[in-house]
Amino acid sequence: MAPAARDHPRRRPREGTFLICSFWLVDALHGIGRHDEAVALFERLLGLRNDLGLLAEEYDVTSGRQLGNVPQAFSHVGLVNSARILGGAPAERPQEAW
């Protein structure tokens, strides 16, 4: 923890934005017909990947750094799902019970 945070009893370490939520926003924008905005946000999110192409759990927009667990499976699941949706993949349908 930074010295300033330790010195003040009410200060907490900075939290970032959960990346999977940003991918959910991509999906929602696409779902309401705002495809261009969805693609633009998706491309911005792709730009957050590290040099190995991996995403963390969170992103701090102030510092421009990834935070939390790296790599984070949920962030990557969000990326893959958004890519499928933007690419026009058909929605998966649950299998019918026999």
Side-chain angles (χ1 to χ4, degrees):
M1 185 180 297
R6 279 194 305 261
D7 296 340
H8 194 285
R10 292 188 182 197
R11 280 200 179 211
R12 295 185 183 153
R14 176 176 225 103
E15 290 281 330
T17 302
F18 283 101
L19 288 174
I20 192 167
C21 296
S22 297
F23 286 110
W24 291 340
L25 177 57
V26 168
D27 302 346
L29 288 169
H30 176 75
I32 62 172
R34 293 165 59 180
H35 182 76
D36 292 342
E37 289 176 70
V39 169
L41 177 56
F42 183 75
E43 289 175 352
R44 282 182 43 210
L45 291 169
L46 289 179
L48 303 180
R49 295 173 297 166
N50 68 16
D51 56 333
L52 298 175
L54 300 175
L55 292 169
E57 178 180 18
E58 303 172 32
Y59 184 77
D60 180 5
V61 295
T62 304
S63 69
R65 295 181 50 183
Q66 293 192 48
L67 303 173
N69 300 318
V70 178
Q72 176 55 250
F74 291 134
S75 297
H76 293 97
V77 167
L79 184 153
V80 170
N81 286 339
S82 292
R84 290 185 73 243
I85 288 168
L86 293 176
E92 292 184 27
R93 293 175 40 181
Q95 292 183 344
E96 294 181 30
W98 288 86

